[in-house]
Amino acid sequence: MSEHQPTIEMPTTYDPRSAEQKSTELWNSGGFFKAGRVPEAKPYTIVIPPPNVTGMLHIGHALDFTLQDIMIRTKRMQGFDALWLPGTDHAGIATQTRVEQKLRESGVSRHDLGREKFLEQVWEWKDTYANTIRSQWGKMGLSLDYSRERFTLDEGLSKAVREVFVRLYEKGLIYRGAKIINWDPAARTALSDIEVEYKEVNGNLYHLQYPLADGSGHVTVATTRPETMLGDTAVAVHPEDERYSALIGKNLVLPVIGREIPVIADEYVEKDFGSGAVKITPAHDPNDFEVGQRHNLPQIIVMDESGVMNAEAGPYQGLDRADARKKLVADLKESGVLVRIEEHVHQVGHSERSGAVVEPYLSTQWFVAMKPLADRAIEAQKSGNGVNFVPDRFEKIYLNWIENVRDWCISRQLWWGHRIPAWHCDACGTIHVAREDLDTCPGCGGTLRQDNDVLDTWFSSALWPFSTMGWPDTDSEDFKRYYPNDLLVTGYDIIYFWVARMIFTALEFTDKIPFKDVLMHGLVRDAEGQKMSKSLGNGVDPLDIIEQYGADAMRFMLSTGSTPGQDLRFRIEKVEQARNFANKIWNASRFALMNLEGFRYEDIDISVKLGTADRWILHRMNETSRDVTRLIDTYDFGETGRLLYNFIWDDLCDWYIEVAKLNLYGSNPEAKKATQSVLAYVLDRTQRLIHPFMPFISEEIWQHLPHSGDSISIAEWPQYDAALEAPEAVREMELLMSSIRSVRNIRAEVNVPMSKKIELQIKPSGADQQAILQANEELLRRFAGTSSLVIDSELSAPDKAMTAIVTGAELYLPLAGLIDIEQEIARLNKEAGVLRSEVERVDKKLSNEGFVAKAPAKVIDEEKAKRADYQAKLDKVLARIEELRG
């Protein structure tokens, strides 16, 4: 391992662009992120949720990836053989839609090109955007192992997809049949549930009267989609609804069409809702389909795959479904069938890709029978052998969905994706599913044609945790070493569509859960809490933020701005604060380096005699290391950020570095060298702790510091060291800092600038406090700005002096002529009021029988000690008020 001496010349200001370029080049050339560098180490694995190759990454991706990078960098520094595997998703319909849009701009359709030529266009698109995504990952500072990068359509993953399909088919868990599915009439394909966006629409509820065939009356039904009535094959009522008991089994005449349809009884109907009678359209409604199956009703499709009414629609054939509705409503109104139109606000499904209103549509598709797969996942979760959800409330959401899961429609009428490995024989009507391509029918020898459909994107995504590791080759080194994964980080919005599917497929094909922990984060919203979207124009491009503020500022803001499972509001002011924090770290490090000239890494020795401030900062750094490690392990990045911010900004920069100047500029060479050691040691450890959050600036600073090793990214993570505990130094520094703060507060209150020297008298409360204060007189003089300093436990408060009470001492500032006595009395009365309220608060707590009965003795003792401290301060303030009045 090489040792590096400090490079004294650090630029005056931090330049993120320069640091980001240098660090990226260092990491890439060093190969530090390649898994397997430490083969004897325990593995730790994350596979990236693969972004779609549909375009640029957005700010939600930046949050997701930053959280993963924090974990993988931390684990790598902790000595794990850390693998973060990158990859992208072909994103079936999303990518095909984008390419088709591009072609339309040139006046070309995919059908003009044909399947093969069209797919060439899509592969070109994929290559372009995969490169773009890879570039964005680099700009974000993600420590990915690019040697293992995967794509859901690459050869290895395609083999895994086909293997899974064949095995499920052989077990009878994949089947082909006609069911109601989500249909996009614009893209002419089935959609997954996640590709349907529900929007609140101001619509109408149409009340229709269907006459009884015997002329004895009518039954009133209501619908929001009157054009589907043309496919009605029954009207259903509840079997216990007395209003309709005499009608069950009778026939109604379907208006317009004239077809007779039966009145049936089914418990699906809510008898107390509306008229209690419901039209049944099995080919155009999922619930009606189920009713139709129970009653063996005909299934009549009244529109084609583009949403145009077909021959079954009678006089409306050839009309678009929207136009057909308008004409039908007018006709029904004229004929007296439509008796009332009621305004009705309801949720209508829209295709996420084309924007078209989704049509529930009877279609022959491929399905996965979900119950056997779901039952195994449920059993694993409930037996304690399942996935650990963070926050744990998402376990209930996951179980609720998987316990009520429906069969999964996996076929899509697209060209881009994994083509279904099924071959149809038109000669004998058989279907053959196989791992390898087939040409001739095994049964009759006829020519086979492969199924035109492709698989739902989520089918291949469901295999991602293990297909990326070489499965189905279970002897592959990566599969044996890095599977199951340790962590999945993803948004709560895809818990059903992706997380659940990964779990049940992993259990089915590997007998293991795919990952130990699932960290669910929220959405990134704008400052007003609105969801970001192109239509609202409130989206944020992470590259724009990086360009303006640097990647570290963006990463720190995103990762520390929310708690697990909660949405995050993106505020540019928070990014600016993070940038200011980065500048604070830079300036502190630059000062330190200016005072480490000639100081070598091997010179660091914190075992020598150290001063109070030295021991205090080592204690605080050690304490921060311990707490940061614990918080990262529990994914509490917000609290981690707060601790790091407070330690670096307050303890290190505002206090220790200022105090260190006394020794660095002093005449005692031993004290100077000790402080240099502490400064170099603490700065080194601080950069390591902040590195997972702010990798670029920490690498740049660390390379300037005296250090050992080639990159901070593989430096050892700071360990808690009991030998660095120094509670006595903490008590000493608290006395000194509180005294200095009090003096500065009084200065500010009476507008006495630090440039004006003052007299300061300190009355310690005991011998220990007196020894501490006297040992640090130089520090007190420097930071309180005194012309004279008296420390004496026998002091009496002088007349016309400002007074401050701290734990362990009273401070007097003789400021006659500089203040108004009455104002000082008013100030002390205000301070007395605060102290009195604290005494009352503690008294109330200690008089609470419930608290005293349940609280540990240590807690009660702490409260009593607080009470005594507040009372002592209050007594002194009250006494001082009397003195001033006297």
Side-chain angles (χ1 to χ4, degrees), residues 37-91:
R37 294 177 67 258
V38 192
E40 69 279 6
K42 183 179 179 181
Y44 183 89
T45 313
I46 302 175
V47 292
I48 203 166
N52 297 342
V53 287
T54 46
M56 311 282 277
L57 300 178
H58 53 67
I59 199 70
H61 287 119
L63 167 64
D64 190 70
F65 299 154
T66 297
L67 299 183
Q68 293 169 67
D69 197 37
I70 289 170
M71 291 307 304
I72 210 74
R73 284 184 183 272
T74 301
K75 294 301 179 182
R76 190 181 291 118
M77 294 174 75
Q78 288 175 342
F80 287 84
D81 176 17
L83 167 60
W84 188 15
L85 187 145
T88 47
D89 196 313
H90 68 280

Side-chain angles (χ1 to χ4, degrees), residues 7-13 586-587 589-590 593 700-701 704:
T7 306
I8 302 303
E9 291 300 321
M10 268 179 80
T12 308
T13 57
W586 182 265
N587 293 335
S589 303
R590 186 170 176 272
L593 281 166
E700 180 73 1
I701 291 172
H704 282 84

Side-chain angles (χ1 to χ4, degrees), residues 78 218 372 374 394 428 487 564 725 743 789 824 857 867 883:
Q78 288 175 342
H218 62 260
F394 287 103
C428 65
L487 173 66
E725 286 291 309
V743 171
L789 173 63
E824 173 61 2
R867 201 254 183 228
E883 288 174 11

Side-chain angles (χ1 to χ4, degrees), residues 676-808:
Q676 285 178 316
S677 279
V678 172
L679 192 56
Y681 182 86
V682 171
L683 269 176
D684 171 88
R685 266 54 182 181
T686 300
Q687 300 313 312
R688 298 186 196 205
L689 290 175
I690 202 73
H691 176 70
F693 294 84
M694 307 176 90
F696 291 116
I697 193 172
S698 54
E699 182 73 79
E700 180 73 1
I701 291 172
W702 195 76
Q703 292 294 340
H704 282 84
L705 290 171
H707 65 274
S708 177
D710 296 321
S711 169
I712 194 173
S713 66
I714 53 171
E716 185 180 352
W717 183 255
Q719 302 289 324
Y720 170 78
D721 183 355
L724 296 179
E725 286 291 309
E728 73 291 345
V730 174
R731 288 193 295 271
E732 291 172 14
M733 275 300 289
E734 282 299 327
L735 175 58
L736 296 171
M737 291 188 297
S738 60
S739 298
I740 292 165
R741 283 194 201 101
S742 296
V743 171
R744 289 181 170 179
N745 288 342
I746 291 173
R747 279 179 172 275
E749 195 172 330
V750 295
N751 295 316
V752 177
M754 284 298 295
S755 58
K756 183 177 179 63
K757 300 296 181 183
I758 60 166
E759 294 181 36
L760 175 60
Q761 299 177 15
I762 304 179
K763 181 179 181 180
S765 60
D768 289 345
Q769 289 77 16
Q770 180 157 332
I772 293 166
L773 293 164
Q774 287 177 336
N776 290 279
E777 279 193 42
E778 186 181 358
L779 184 152
L780 291 166
R781 289 179 187 277
R782 167 78 179 273
F783 294 105
T786 65
S787 57
S788 68
L789 173 63
V790 176
I791 301 169
D792 188 347
S793 59
E794 301 300 322
L795 274 174
S796 296
D799 291 334
K800 297 182 180 180
M802 299 286 283
T803 304
I805 311 298
V806 300
T807 302

